[in-house]
Amino acid sequence: MKQIGVGVIGFGTIGAGVVDILNKNGSEITRRLGGKLKLVKVADLDIETDRGVEIDKGLLSTNVNDVLENPEIDLVVELVGGYEPAKTFVVKALENGKSIVTANKALMAVHGDEILAVAKANGQDVAFEAAVGGGIPILRAVREGMAANKVHTIYGILNGTTNYILTEMKDKGEDFGKVLKDAQELGYAETDPTFDVEGIDAAHKITLLASMAFGKKVKFDTVYTEGISGITPEDIDYATEFGFEVKLLGIAKFDGELVEVRVHPTMIPSAHLLSSVKGVYNAVYADADYLGPTMYYGQGAGRNATASAVVGDLIELARDKMNGVSGRVPPLAFNAESMDDAVIKPMGRVKCRYYVRLMAKDEPGVLSRISGAFGDHDISIESVVQKGRDTGQAVPLILMTHEAVEENIMDALEKIASLGVIDADPVLIRVEG
Ligand code: HSE
């Protein structure tokens, strides 16, 4: 029976999950593949810690070259994370004739072009299903399941940490700082949570999804990114009152000309399927011309789900190795030669509904001056609620607009700030769905 040699770089949580699947589901995998995925080497700087999986100690090495330069290895799993040294390892493995499976969204979102070019030049493949949505087979769905379509919209909850925080804030009425601290103590949030809470992780993921959905090269640094650290329990309560949930969404839309791609806290109707996605779960909504709307839901992180995506990729690339082919399916869903750079719609031209909370002076005439500023900027107000009564003092004034152009909203808020009738910076949350 044909054997395909596998080397793993990074024996942390996901690496251990990969070894566990190969141990326990090995014979099922062989039945699917018609060959055997053989674990040849696992490299990590720490090979002493017990990872809770059975492994022959002789397979462990602290020298990454035991994987990168091993002639018995056909497929390398990169689970180091981050940009470097992961990129150096990946490039070296490709140059040594090994295809890559990676869960590294930062690497693929920022250096994907370069890595895919090296892969092509060396007749190798790169698979990265685990980089977006953890175990959810969303990239395969976009790449192959939607291949008959023009996809125009793809958005979703792409970060489990922030979804957990927002869920806890809503359920417990606690503020962001307190929930984040608890999440760190429980191991749900990283010690340095910046990538997650500031939306960077979601921006990496929507960069990849948008490129693959629309066949346009989206650059990570063109994604408008705003995190959840400014969200308060108060705004979550008002959202509930208006019939909405607050979620951190990665959003990408394509009108055939301009690509809109952004990550920010978003209000979505409570009845929207994404509203029922709680805790660390992820979900992606996609809409395409012939297919119509679809949704994908599952565990966006964690050992087993992520390792499931990694091993699924190993099986796919092993099939190609066994058949002596590469580049069979373009990794970004479209042939590289046909993918030009996305023309990004500036945020100022984005159109959606807006939730605006102002701390406005409780005085006669204030509301008409505020609504006048919105009207002067072509913004129609759907509803407005004043919370409380405190003559001469500031009280929360919550406005929901109809669809409006973002630069008009910003101009109107600047005008309102100059009127001397509000006390604090306005809170603005975009509304979708
Ligand atoms: N840090 C990510 C999250 C998981 O919180 O969803 C890995 O992509």
Side-chain angles (χ1 to χ4, degrees):
M1 177 177 299
K2 222 168 187 172
Q3 289 198 344
I4 297 296
V6 175
V8 176
I9 309 174
F11 196 29
T13 310
I14 314 301
V18 170
V19 172
D20 197 39
I21 293 179
L22 295 179
N23 284 346
K24 295 191 181 142
N25 286 357
S27 49
E28 278 298 285
I29 292 169
T30 302
R31 284 180 61 218
R32 289 177 190 271
L33 187 59
K36 186 173 160 49
L37 282 182
K38 182 181 177 220
L39 187 63
V40 175
K41 215 45 141 185
V42 177
D44 197 289
L45 292 175
D46 170 10
I47 55 171
E48 297 306 325
T49 302
D50 180 1
R51 309 291 177 174
V53 287
E54 248 180 62
I55 186 160
D56 173 352
K57 287 256 182 310
L59 299 188
L60 298 174
S61 169
T62 53
N63 183 354
V64 74
N65 289 326
D66 287 345
V67 171
L68 298 177
E69 293 169 2
N70 193 320
E72 280 179 53
I73 290 176
D74 306 286
L75 304 175
V76 170
V77 182
E78 181 276 306
L79 297 171
V80 177
Y83 304 121
E84 282 295 355
K87 185 176 162 220
T88 303
F89 295 162
V90 164
V91 168
K92 197 166 169 190
L94 291 168
E95 287 171 348
N96 287 345
K98 299 164 196 324
S99 286
I100 296 289
V101 174
T102 178
N104 192 333
K105 60 259 164 177
L107 182 67
M108 291 310 294
V110 176
H111 298 294
D113 271 3
E114 191 186 334
I115 286 167
L116 295 178
V118 176
K120 196 169 181 190
N122 287 278
Q124 302 303 318
D125 282 302
V126 180
F128 47 97
E129 182 63 71
V132 180
I136 309 170
I138 181 65
L139 299 190
R140 209 162 257 115
V142 172
R143 190 192 291 118
E144 302 190 54
M146 295 179 203
N149 292 262
K150 287 182 187 149
V151 182
H152 54 80
T153 304
I154 188 156
Y155 60 79
I157 297 166
L158 302 172
N159 182 269
T161 306
T162 44
N163 203 49
Y164 171 82
I165 292 173
L166 290 171
T167 305
E168 289 285 293
M169 285 175 73
K170 177 172 179 178
D171 291 351
K172 298 189 175 154
E174 287 172 347
D175 69 22
F176 170 78
K178 164 88 171 73
V179 175
L180 172 62
K181 194 166 163 282
D182 290 349
Q184 285 171 316
E185 276 164 16
L186 289 166
Y188 291 154
E190 305 277 351
T191 319
D192 178 359
T194 315
F195 265 43
D196 291 320
V197 301
E198 296 308 336
I200 301 161
D201 176 76
H204 286 138
K205 293 167 179 169
I206 198 70
T207 300
L208 294 167
L209 282 176
S211 301
M212 294 173 69
F214 309 142
K216 295 279 171 189
K217 280 191 216 164
V218 175
K219 302 233 178 313
F220 166 69
D221 58 10
T222 61
V223 180
Y224 172 84
T225 305
E226 194 184 305
I228 63 162
S229 50
I231 297 293
T232 64
E234 215 180 339
D235 292 309
I236 291 176
D237 283 350
Y238 293 143
T240 309
E241 221 174 282
F242 279 87
F244 291 91
E245 291 274 330
V246 180
K247 297 288 185 190
L248 182 75
L249 294 192
I251 300 171
K253 299 181 185 179
F254 183 43
D255 61 10
E257 193 188 331
L258 299 180
V259 172
E260 195 176 314
V261 59
R262 46 197 166 99
V263 172
H264 50 70
T266 311
M267 282 193 187
I268 47 174
S270 306
H272 194 296
L273 280 174
L274 285 175
S275 288
S276 60
V277 177
K278 309 282 185 197
V280 295
Y281 277 79
N282 281 196
V284 180
Y285 168 92
D287 202 350
D289 56 354
Y290 280 79
L291 173 66
T294 51
M295 274 272 299
Y296 309 82
Y297 169 84
Q299 294 177 55
R303 184 183 102 145
N304 289 354
T306 311
S308 155
V310 168
V311 177
D313 277 350
L314 280 174
I315 295 169
E316 182 178 330
L317 296 194
R319 284 197 182 107
D320 288 347
K321 286 274 179 193
M322 286 166 65
N323 288 303
V325 294
S326 68
R328 195 178 47 83
V329 183
L332 290 177
F334 290 76
N335 272 310
E337 301 74 38
S338 75
M339 286 183 73
D340 49 2
D341 287 348
V343 182
I344 303 292
K345 184 185 273 191
M347 269 311 277
R349 286 178 59 191
V350 163
K351 249 182 159 180
C352 63
R353 292 160 68 202
Y354 293 84
Y355 159 99
V356 180
R357 176 165 61 82
L358 303 166
M359 291 304 290
K361 284 205 180 115
D362 190 11
E363 282 171 6
V366 165
L367 182 56
S368 80
R369 295 180 74 192
I370 289 174
S371 59
F374 281 114
D376 290 346
H377 289 86
D378 204 22
I379 299 157
S380 161
I381 295 170
E382 184 186 301
S383 55
V384 60
V385 174
Q386 178 187 318
K387 290 285 171 185
R389 174 90 175 100
D390 200 352
T391 310
Q393 302 302 307
V395 290
L397 192 67
I398 296 115
L399 297 107
M400 193 64 86
T401 76
H402 286 294
E403 200 169 71
V405 176
E406 176 125 348
E407 70 186 357
N408 291 350
I409 290 278
M410 295 304 173
D411 290 347
L413 291 178
E414 205 177 308
K415 173 70 187 167
I416 290 164
S418 74
L419 297 175
V421 297
I422 60 167
D423 248 22
D425 286 342
V427 172
L428 179 141
I429 303 178
R430 299 169 187 88
V431 181
E432 286 286 332

